[in-house]
Amino acid sequence: MASVACALALGISSVGYAQNPTIIKRSIDFSPKSPSYAVTDSAPTQSRYSNRDSAYPSDAASPSDSGYQEGRSVSVRRPSLDESTEPLIEDQRERLFDELAEEFSMFDRLGNLVRRVSTLVKPSVIHIEAHKTEKNESYDEAGAGVVLRINNETWVMTNRHVIVSASPKQILLRTSDGREFHPVKVLSDPSTDVAVMKVNGIDLPAARLGDSDSTEIGDFVIAIGSPFGLSHSVTFGILSAKGRRDLSLGEQRIDLQDFFQTDAAINPGNSGGPLLNLRGEVVALNTAIASSSGGSEGIGFAIPMNMAIKVADQLVRNGQLRRGYLGVTLDPDFTVADLAAAGYREKGGALVKNVRPGSPAEIAHLQRGDIIVEFDGSPVENDDHLVARVGLTPIGSNIPMIIYRDGKRYRTAVTLTDMN
């Protein structure tokens, strides 16, 4: 079980270009009795003709006709470094700058997207300061939130751990343009760490929500929050993984987990802020980090927005999350390897250890030893995945399931009741 603490680091590397030309001094030796010449890397050599009586080709010019004196050699010097090399280096530098400008253009378009998304969404991100009193000790905690429209009302969504133990009057909300106000109502759910705060009498633009189910590993994402109290800070990264569950979040217990993992820098104070795609849509709510230092180490976790908005909607409508109840005990040690050993080709599933009497599971004729491989039309990955799916399913819904029993595949359906 991974140890996770609620928790910006930006590394920039530079590349230098170096050039060190080598100049080789050469000389050209012209023979007085030969129509040919030789190029050497050393001092001029002596003529290979030892006397003037050697014959010349009939069509060759005599030494006197060529203007050369007998026995002399001519050295031809290359241009100096100052005369030719410096312009050459400058030409190469200009070409390199032009090539860099061309290659940078595509990265600049990406940077422009990040800038536009940040500018567009920042007015919908709220800085939060909560004054708390716990165990006779008072302190302030900073976080972030995102503005939503739920039931035609303005709400600010954040993490429960940001505002827990603080009354509405002890929670200060600040916009990107500096306006300050307090919420009039606070609702939260400890099983998902989601909270919403109602806001009246102030005009705030609501964020646009994205489909977190269609967000894929490797997608670029942007995090906005208040790391270490530095409000409306923007960081950039990718979605590193999906379906992170069974995380130990300090002393806080979160029963329904289905986190995104991201390397966009998240630090203390980022909690409750939005994780955005490059369309400017909120795809997750930044919540926690895995860290040995207390700061960002490139492993942050965020609640998928499809999950968070279900909780927020129920909090607004019912005042609490009505968790679905199936009535089974699942084996946490059951793995895909166990499925394969039993001869099944499924990529995941949850093993039923026990069925509670009178529960929806018993009514649906589930038995000990059944392997639930599909719930409500979607594959089940493991026991934690099934718990999260059941807990967020609307009460009273008739949900289809697929199970394996004694090597055979069966279909059944279950009507969930309210766990509360």
Side-chain angles (χ1 to χ4, degrees), residues 116-125 146 205 207 224 274 276 279-282:
R116 293 173 65 182
V117 169
S118 302
T119 301
L120 178 63
V121 179
K122 280 177 69 173
S124 302
V125 180
V146 58
I224 304 181
L276 308 157
R279 295 184 181 91
E281 301 167 335
V282 183

Side-chain angles (χ1 to χ4, degrees), residues 381-402:
E381 296 179 16
N382 52 37
D383 61 312
D384 289 316
H385 186 210
L386 181 60
V387 168
R389 293 292 307 280
V390 170
L392 295 174
T393 299
I395 305 304
S397 301
N398 188 257
I399 306 300
M401 292 192 302
I402 294 178

Side-chain angles (χ1 to χ4, degrees), residues 272-296:
L275 190 69
L276 308 157
N277 60 25
L278 293 188
R279 295 184 181 91
E281 301 167 335
V282 183
V283 295
L285 195 70
N286 301 320
T287 299
I289 65 170
S291 176
S292 58
S293 64
S296 174

Side-chain angles (χ1 to χ4, degrees), residues 119-135:
T119 301
L120 178 63
V121 179
K122 280 177 69 173
S124 302
V125 180
I126 303 298
H127 173 74
I128 301 174
E129 293 179 8
H131 183 73
K132 303 180 178 183
T133 301
E134 292 181 349
K135 299 178 180 179

Side-chain angles (χ1 to χ4, degrees), residues 315-373:
L315 288 174
V316 171
R317 294 178 184 275
N318 307 317
Q320 63 178 350
L321 173 65
R322 298 182 62 191
R323 289 181 56 178
Y325 174 67
L326 179 60
V328 296
T329 302
L330 302 174
D331 186 352
D333 298 323
F334 185 74
T335 66
V336 177
D338 297 319
L339 271 172
Y344 301 118
R345 296 182 179 180
E346 302 292 335
K347 296 181 179 180
L351 176 63
V352 177
K353 291 178 63 177
N354 184 44
V355 178
R356 297 184 180 90
S359 67
E362 185 183 57
I363 297 173
H365 306 293
L366 292 183
Q367 299 178 8
R368 175 185 173 89
D370 287 348
I371 303 172
I372 303 174
V373 296

Side-chain angles (χ1 to χ4, degrees), residues 101-153:
E102 183 178 349
E103 294 177 4
F104 175 73
S105 60
M106 65 177 180
F107 293 100
D108 193 42
R109 287 194 293 270
L110 177 59
N112 187 48
L113 266 178
V114 174
R115 291 189 291 270
R116 293 173 65 182
V117 169
S118 302
T119 301
L120 178 63
V121 179
K122 280 177 69 173
S124 302
V125 180
I126 303 298
H127 173 74
I128 301 174
E129 293 179 8
H131 183 73
K132 303 180 178 183
T133 301
E134 292 181 349
K135 299 178 180 179
N136 298 322
E137 182 180 355
S138 296
Y139 61 96
D140 294 322
E141 184 167 338
V146 58
V147 179
L148 302 177
R149 294 288 292 176
I150 304 175
N151 283 352
N152 294 319
E153 297 175 325

